[in-house]
Amino acid sequence: MRAIKYIAIHCTATSQNTSISAIQSYWKNQLGWKMPGYHFIVKPDGEAVNLLPIEQVSNGVKGFNSQTINISYIGGIDLNNAPKDTRTPAQKASILKLLKDFKQKFPTATIQGHRDFPNVHKACPSFDAKKEYKDV
């Protein structure tokens, strides 16, 4: 098993009705990634879809992927493509459950947003994950 130091929270920076297959196609065809950006992606109805086993490395945070579990929710922008926390109550509950489960397995891992890593110049996940999940 990899040494997990971080659990990173992301948003897809898409509308909430974007399909997982469209996101995966973007990673492969536009970005040229061989691996998914996240281990889990949470749909608006709260369904957490596992895209990659946590034992494998995803493409969530450049320079930190080997030590990070990446979790994203579909959404994170408003109608003008500006950053906005668009998580549904079901997404919030599902993310919290994943975080609690992973903190049991990796108690020393730091939970933070993508934006909280060094040299990241984006609003992802469009809310303050460090603050919201500080007590998990």
Side-chain angles (χ1 to χ4, degrees):
M1 184 61 198
R2 324 184 271 134
I4 301 299
K5 290 187 178 180
Y6 302 99
I7 304 168
I9 307 301
H10 302 263
C11 66
T12 59
T14 64
S15 73
Q16 286 188 317
N17 62 8
T18 303
S19 69
I20 292 174
S21 61
I23 294 164
Q24 290 173 311
S25 176
Y26 173 77
W27 292 334
K28 182 179 179 184
N29 300 320
Q30 304 293 355
L31 300 179
W33 291 354
K34 290 180 175 42
M35 302 302 273
Y38 320 117
H39 293 93
F40 288 87
I41 195 163
V42 181
K43 295 163 61 172
D45 67 1
E47 180 187 355
V49 179
N50 184 206
L51 300 179
L52 186 70
I54 63 168
E55 295 80 17
Q56 296 182 28
V57 177
S58 65
N59 282 321
V61 183
K62 187 175 183 178
F64 291 87
N65 291 320
S66 66
Q67 54 197 343
T68 303
I69 295 172
N70 292 291
I71 301 169
S72 183
Y73 69 97
I74 296 177
I77 56 171
D78 66 14
L79 295 174
N80 297 312
N81 293 327
K84 180 180 180 183
D85 182 359
T86 60
R87 292 173 297 157
T88 64
Q91 283 174 315
K92 288 180 181 183
S94 185
I95 292 168
L96 185 59
K97 182 183 181 326
L98 285 169
L99 292 175
K100 286 179 177 179
D101 290 348
F102 286 132
K103 278 296 274 189
Q104 281 190 327
K105 291 179 185 171
F106 309 103
T108 61
T110 300
I111 298 170
Q112 62 187 46
H114 186 181
R115 70 185 192 181
D116 298 313
F117 286 86
N119 302 313
V120 173
H121 307 290
K122 54 176 75 178
C124 180
S126 300
F127 70 97
D128 189 344
K130 250 185 166 169
K131 181 179 176 184
E132 183 163 332
Y133 301 122
K134 68 179 174 20
D135 296 325
V136 173

